[in-house]
Structures are given as structure tokens and as C-alpha cells.
Amino acid sequence: MSPVETSVSTQKRRHSLALTVGLLLVGINLAVALLTLFWTPYDPLNASGGRLEAPSLLHWLGTDRLGRDLLTQLMIGARTALLVGTGAVAIGAAIGVSLGVVAAFATRLADDVMAATLDILIAFPTLLLAMLVVAASDSASLWTAILALGLAISAIVARLTRILAKRVLRQDYIVASRTSGTSWAGVVFRHVLPNIWPTLSVNFALQFGLAVIAEASLSYLGLGAPPPNASWGRLLQEAQGTVYTAPIGAIAPGIALVALVIGMNLLADGLRDIADPTRGRSR
Amino acid sequence: MLFVLLRLLPGDPANALLSVGADAVQIEKAREQVGSNLPLWQQFLRFAGSLARFDLGTSFVSGKPVIEEIAARLTVTVPLALMGFVLAILIAVPLGILSAVKADRWYGGLISTVSQLGIAIPVFWVGILLVTVFAVTFRLFPSGGFPRRGWQNEGQALYALALPVMTIGLVMGASLLRYVRSATQDVLGSDYLRTARALGASFPEALIRHGIRNGAVPIVSILGIELATTLLGAVVVERVFALPGLGSMLLLAIEQRDYPNVQGVLFISTLLVLMIGFTADLTQRLIDPRLRERAVGGNA
């Protein structure tokens, strides 16, 4: 049905567009997050206007029920989201990649045990796993949330790494490399990791987006970073109660969140095309 | 495994029974009552033993049997998840096929773009938006809550579930749509479809006759995963709409360190997830005879 000749060029265009838009969305978020380290429109912790003011020139997005500037909260939320995404993916990558590589090298039995354990862990939704880890720690904090999400991500990363690494290890050049005297560690760093890295990095970008959503859900449920850390999830939870009088508070943080996640997903799409030029069509 | 994870939670569950400032004797008594004074392995044996009898213990907090509370809560969560699931299929299957068949038209592209949005939106925000539109602006549906008498008043119960079901249906539908779309694309590029066309079948005829059965196999396994996720993920939607379901029970139990309740909910959800996976497997074999042969070959 679909004429292949024309669709290849349109797809190429669509994908470089995806990369550009993705970079733009994530870039804006990063810029805003960095900006909040030096400057915010108002004091994030104290009231700067009346309660639940409508958007105005002074408060572009209005104020929340405590009279704090919503735009300021939103900007700090960007910082939280990026921190959570980066932290969770970093933890997930560190644990996941090492476990996955070890499993790929391990004996048959150890590998099977690891694979089965990972499958069970993955069957649990990330959010539920994170809820339990947060509950297991005494007090909810930003770091517990990051740790919890990182652990959940590590299971997914480990499974992917294991599969990818095994595929590389079957190649002839690994045997050749071993015969010419390269140690197993050398094989991992010289052949395995460089080969699986492109696919892994695409997955990291996707996991980043999922971590941001999961953190927002945790904060929404009251299991995330406690105040005064602004988080989009908690902003939404607080705004839900006042949605009758100030609907903007229930809309703006969501848009910010979706923009960041879509940005990350587009980035992943674009990265996939760079990583694998042979692949014609993305999902 | 559940047991180990739960015992990692710090704080003695006996604390949940006591008021602040209880003396040592009272503490010891409470510990005896909940069994947390026994060595860990005895606690585990007790747990495993009663599981076999389908006795999930009694709640530390309310003192009621866990299984009763779960049963009551399932009457909210299961209809919620199932109705959302059906709505998601109703959205995803026609739109997914349409967007693959008409990929070169503007609406084909539009559908897949919107579904991209769907996977980037957190469920609870969709819920809040629906509340804003349908409960606040148009006042069509209640913004949350569930009739106290449950399903005795069917109309009201359905009315209360309208927005939550829409929320689940939309979010799940969007992610399902992408799978339906790519399955349809696979079918469209297949040799058997071309053969059928060459033998004189019209395009819709060939698609319905051969496409659906072939395309459905990967979709069914995705459906299973999605349904499981919805059941377990209902915690968020239930929170948005203040529904007394399984998810809100889990959240409350975690906050109160009510181990029997947490354990019970997790046990039942795991059981449900396994059952769904099993059903999905069976359905796939019904659809695709090739899978049956492989299973008979002893390669299960």
C-alpha cells in the first residue's frame, strides 16, 4: 500500500524535525531549571500576592492558595523534574548496565536466575515498586523518590543490557579478540559497551520521560518530595482542590510536564535514527 | 518475596495499634497480638500457612478480615478497570487500523500524533482535566466519590464511574493505538495480504478475512499487559476521583503500616496479574494455531 520511494524522504525529514523539537523542548526546560538557581520571579516560599489570584501582568500564571507565585513554583518544578529524571536514569544505568553485563557473562544457571528475577521485577509497574520503596524508607524525600525510580529503571536496563550484550558476545570478532589475548574486562570496554551504547542511550531517554511521569505521580499521591520542594505532581494535587476557582493551576504544570516528556521521547526517536540509520520506520 | 520486601519497612506494626506514650507492657501486649514478637521465620510460616487457606489475616488497624475488605474494594476496581479497558479497545482498534491504512492522509497522521501525546500524559492529569471540563465547566458528571451503598444503586454507581472510566480508556487507548497501528502496518506489508488481493478479494475483504486474525496475536499479549497495569495502576485514578477501590486501600495501608492489608492487596493483585497473563496466553493460542503446535512440541 504505502509507496516506499516517497515515504523514505518524508520520514527522514520528519525525524530530523523530531530531534530538533525534542532538543528544543528539553533545552528550554534545562535553561529554566538552571535559571532558577540564580533567579526566580518571586520568592518561592512566601506569599507574594493575594490567594488564588487570576493571571495578571504581575503574576503571569496567577497565585496558588497560599498566595505564592505559580510561575515561580512551575520553574522550580522544572528543576525537580530534571533532577529526578537525571538521577533516576543515572542510578538505573549504573546498576542496570553492570548487572546486565555480568548476567551476559555468567554461567547458565546464574543467568537464568537473574533473568527470571528481572522478569518478575519488571512485571510490577514502576510506580508500585517505587511506592513500596518510598514506604520502606522512614520519610519521603526527593532522594528516596529518585532512588526508588532508579531501582525500578535498573531492572528494565539490566534486561535490555543482558540481551544486547549476549548478542555481541556471540560475534566472531569477540573470539578473535580473546584469542589475541584481550582480557574479558578489555572485551567489555572495547567491544561490548561501545556496541550496545547507541541502543541503550535511546532507552535512557525513554526511561527519563517515564521517571518524570512516575515522580509526578508519586508526588501527586503524597509520596514524593515534601514541601517546600516544588514538584509538578504536587502542584497539580494542590490545584485539584481549587479547580473550581483557579483552573489555571491545574493546567499549567501538566502542560510543562507533558512538554518535557514529549521532548524526551522525540529526542529518543531522533537518537534512534542517528544510532541506526538502517532502521526505516520508528514505532 | 512480598513478605521480605514488606518486613523491610521500618517501624513495628504494633505501633499502629497504640497511642503515643504507651508503656512497655502495653507495647509487648500489642506485639503479641500482631505476632511481631515472634522470630521472622515463624512469622513467615504463619503467613505462608494462612495463604494456603486463603486467609489473608486481619487488618492491624480496623481488625476486620483483610479478604473481606479486599472483596468490597474489588467491586469498585474491577468494574472500573474492565470498563476502561473496553473503552480503550473501542478507541484504539478502529482508530489504530484507520491511521495505518490511511497513513498518507492528514487524519492518519493526526491520529498517530495525538496518540504520541497520550503516552506522555500522566494518568492523573487526564483525570484532572476531565474533571475541569465535565464536572466544573459543564457540570455533567460528579468530580469524585462513590455512592455509599455501592452497587445497590446501579445508576448512581455508573454515574460516579463515568469520568474515571473515561480517564483510563483515553490513556490506555492512546498507548494501545500505537500497537494496533504497528500491527496493522505489519499486516499491510505482508505477502498473504497481497496474495489475497491478487486472488480477487477487495481490499477491505482481504483485510478483514486475513488481517484481523494475524494482527490480533501480538495485540492480545499487549492487551494482557495493559489490563494488568490498569488494575495495579488504578491507585492513581482512584485517588483523583476519591474512589474506594483496591488502589486507595493499598495507599492507606502503606501510610498506616497495616502489613496484612498491604500484603493482601499485593497478593491479590499478583494473582490477578498472573491470571490475566495466563488468559492472554490461552487466547493467543486460540487465535493462532501455530502457537498451539509449538506448545505441544514441549517447548513451553
Side-chain angles (χ1 to χ4, degrees):
Chain A
M1 269 307 280
S2 57
V4 179
E5 299 80 19
T6 58
S7 66
V8 166
S9 66
T10 45
Q11 260 163 33
K12 210 171 247 172
R13 225 179 306 131
R14 196 172 74 87
H15 284 143
S16 57
L17 182 72
L19 191 66
T20 316
V21 177
L23 277 175
L24 199 69
L25 288 176
V26 176
I28 291 174
N29 245 287
L30 187 63
V32 168
L34 289 176
L35 181 65
T36 60
L37 293 176
F38 308 105
W39 178 84
T40 49
Y42 289 93
D43 179 356
L45 300 181
N46 291 309
S48 53
R51 291 173 181 197
L52 295 173
E53 270 180 28
S56 64
L57 280 177
L58 281 177
H59 300 279
W60 288 3
L61 294 176
T63 57
D64 70 4
R65 62 189 168 144
L66 297 175
R68 295 172 304 188
D69 180 52
L70 198 63
L71 183 64
T72 305
Q73 303 282 325
L74 206 62
M75 288 170 65
I76 295 182
R79 191 166 78 197
T80 311
L82 283 178
L83 189 64
V84 168
T86 316
V89 169
I91 293 175
I95 302 177
V97 172
S98 351
L99 267 183
V101 168
V102 169
F105 275 101
T107 57
R108 182 76 192 273
L109 180 72
D111 181 34
D112 282 351
V113 170
M114 272 200 233
T117 317
L118 290 178
D119 280 347
I120 294 175
L121 278 177
I122 289 168
F124 269 94
T126 305
L127 187 63
L128 207 64
L129 218 55
M131 269 174 75
L132 287 181
V133 175
V134 170
S137 62
D138 255 332
S139 59
S141 80
L142 193 58
W143 296 108
T144 353
I146 292 178
L147 185 70
L149 293 173
L151 288 176
I153 290 175
S154 71
I156 299 167
V157 173
R159 185 165 73 165
L160 184 66
T161 307
R162 175 179 158 272
I163 296 168
L164 293 172
K166 284 192 113 163
R167 203 179 292 158
V168 175
L169 286 176
R170 274 199 300 269
Q171 303 293 321
D172 288 340
Y173 59 78
I174 299 293
V175 183
S177 173
R178 281 289 290 156
T179 349
S180 61
T182 316
S183 65
W184 279 123
V187 168
V188 168
F189 286 105
R190 196 166 311 158
H191 299 296
V192 177
L193 288 183
N195 264 303
I196 67 178
W197 181 250
T199 317
L200 278 184
S201 56
V202 170
N203 190 256
F204 291 160
L206 288 176
Q207 297 302 332
F208 187 104
L210 293 179
V212 170
I213 291 185
E215 190 277 329
S217 310
L218 277 179
S219 329
Y220 177 78
L221 293 174
L223 296 171
N229 295 305
S231 152
W232 290 334
R234 203 160 39 72
L235 289 181
L236 285 171
Q237 190 251 318
E238 285 169 2
Q240 195 189 353
T242 55
V243 73
Y244 287 87
T245 41
I248 182 111
I251 294 170
I255 292 178
L257 198 155
V258 170
L260 177 60
V261 176
I262 286 191
M264 262 347 251
N265 287 353
L266 288 175
L267 206 60
D269 262 6
L271 280 177
R272 179 169 26 220
D273 287 349
I274 294 173
D276 184 4
T278 54
R279 198 180 156 126
R281 187 174 266 273
S282 78
R283 282 182 297 161
Chain B
M1 195 181 97
L2 279 180
F3 181 82
V4 175
L5 203 59
L6 290 174
R7 287 305 128 138
L8 286 177
L9 302 190
D12 196 304
N15 292 345
L17 288 178
L18 299 167
S19 51
V20 183
D23 61 39
V25 182
Q26 279 173 311
I27 292 177
E28 201 43 48
K29 223 172 150 187
R31 277 169 64 96
E32 227 165 84
Q33 192 186 337
V34 300
S36 68
N37 59 338
L38 299 171
L40 266 185
W41 64 272
Q42 277 187 20
Q43 288 186 37
F44 180 71
L45 280 187
R46 271 193 175 190
F47 172 67
S50 39
L51 262 195
R53 281 177 279 121
F54 240 95
D55 172 9
L56 294 174
T58 52
S59 161
F60 288 161
V61 176
S62 69
K64 283 190 222 147
V66 174
I67 192 89
E68 261 177 37
E69 178 144 14
I70 288 179
R73 301 242 175 189
L74 278 179
T75 62
V76 178
T77 300
V78 169
L80 170 67
L82 282 182
M83 285 194 283
F85 182 67
V86 171
L87 182 64
I89 296 179
L90 288 180
I91 294 174
V93 172
L95 287 182
I97 294 178
L98 187 72
S99 78
V101 174
K102 302 283 181 192
D104 45 349
R105 299 286 179 80
W106 63 269
Y107 50 86
L110 181 74
I111 293 171
S112 49
T113 310
V114 172
S115 77
Q116 284 275 351
L117 260 177
I119 52 162
I121 293 186
V123 181
F124 65 89
W125 193 47
V126 176
I128 294 177
L129 286 184
L130 287 180
V131 167
T132 314
V133 174
F134 288 104
V136 178
T137 312
F138 294 114
R139 298 175 190 279
L140 281 176
F141 294 106
S143 64
F146 196 72
R148 193 172 285 265
R149 289 183 306 131
W151 288 96
Q152 282 172 344
N153 190 338
E154 284 147 13
Q156 232 171 21
L158 278 177
Y159 192 52
L161 286 183
L163 285 184
V165 165
M166 258 200 266
T167 307
I168 292 181
L170 283 177
V171 172
M172 201 159 102
S175 83
L176 202 58
L177 198 154
R178 295 165 60 249
Y179 293 104
V180 174
R181 184 180 138 87
S182 82
T184 314
Q185 276 169 349
D186 287 348
V187 169
L188 287 179
S190 67
D191 293 336
Y192 57 79
L193 195 75
R194 200 174 37 192
T195 311
R197 291 275 286 136
L199 288 174
S202 71
F203 180 71
E205 206 181 340
L207 196 61
I208 291 168
R209 191 99 182 265
H210 304 277
I212 289 183
R213 200 174 175 113
N214 274 292
V217 175
I219 298 298
V220 166
S221 74
I222 300 290
L223 279 179
I225 297 173
E226 295 265 335
L227 182 57
T229 315
T230 310
L231 269 175
L232 298 183
V235 51
V236 180
V237 176
E238 283 168 10
R239 174 71 168 237
V240 176
F241 295 99
L243 294 174
L246 206 60
S248 45
M249 174 174 172
L250 178 65
L251 199 63
L252 189 70
I254 287 182
E255 276 162 12
Q256 297 179 331
R257 301 216 179 287
D258 191 346
Y259 292 147
N261 271 0
V262 178
Q263 263 169 6
V265 173
L266 289 181
F267 176 72
I268 294 291
S269 350
T270 315
L271 207 66
L272 283 172
V273 170
L274 289 177
M275 271 163 44
I276 293 168
F278 184 64
T279 317
D281 253 22
L282 279 184
T283 319
Q284 273 185 318
R285 294 204 177 139
L286 278 180
I287 299 175
D288 189 345
R290 283 170 297 185
L291 292 174
R292 264 175 268 170
E293 275 158 30
R294 205 192 302 155
V296 172
N299 213 355

